[in-house]
Amino acid sequence: MFRRAFWFTTGAAAGVWATNKVHQKLRKLQPDSLAAQAADKAVETGHRLRQFALDVRSGMADREEQLHEALGLSRPAEARELPAPRRAVLEGHHRTTRTTGPTGLTGPTGKEDH
């Protein structure tokens, strides 16, 4: 009699446990839950990418400082004024780069067929 009561109770408990697990999985697969999970993953990925970018920037700054020291450029450079722009003076008429090729097509080389 006690054996039957034990197995009945064990079976009922296993059934309740399995039913709860199935309902939990079904709730996780509902569209609202899936959207929330996707949003959480996107936010987490954004935080990871931001941290990666910050790590890369700090590594770049460290390496740049090392290179400046190795090349003897560690002191700050004086601000220099940019040189005046050069203006090309064309003599005579304007030159063109378009030519007419043997096929009658025009282009920089005369070989374009478009």
Side-chain angles (χ1 to χ4, degrees), residues 86-97:
R86 295 183 186 177
R87 296 184 184 220
V89 177
L90 297 175
E91 295 179 19
H93 64 339
H94 296 286
R95 295 187 315 158
T96 179
T97 58

Side-chain angles (χ1 to χ4, degrees), residues 12-71:
V16 168
W17 178 80
T19 303
N20 285 338
K21 285 292 185 182
V22 168
H23 283 293
Q24 285 176 354
K25 293 292 181 184
L26 287 175
R27 273 186 251 131
K28 284 185 179 180
L29 294 176
Q30 290 179 344
D32 294 340
S33 178
L34 290 176
Q37 288 175 4
D40 290 343
K41 291 289 183 180
V43 169
E44 181 182 339
T45 302
H47 289 306
R48 287 183 182 181
L49 286 174
R50 182 180 172 96
Q51 187 60 42
F52 175 73
L54 292 174
D55 290 344
V56 168
R57 283 183 189 162
S58 68
M60 284 174 35
D62 291 344
R63 183 62 180 150
E64 187 175 356
E65 186 177 322
Q66 291 172 359
L67 289 173
H68 280 296
E69 289 176 6
L71 295 173

Side-chain angles (χ1 to χ4, degrees), residues 97-102 105-114:
T97 58
R98 301 201 80 126
T99 59
T100 303
L105 300 173
T106 60
T109 62
K111 296 180 181 178
E112 286 79 10
D113 59 346
H114 46 76

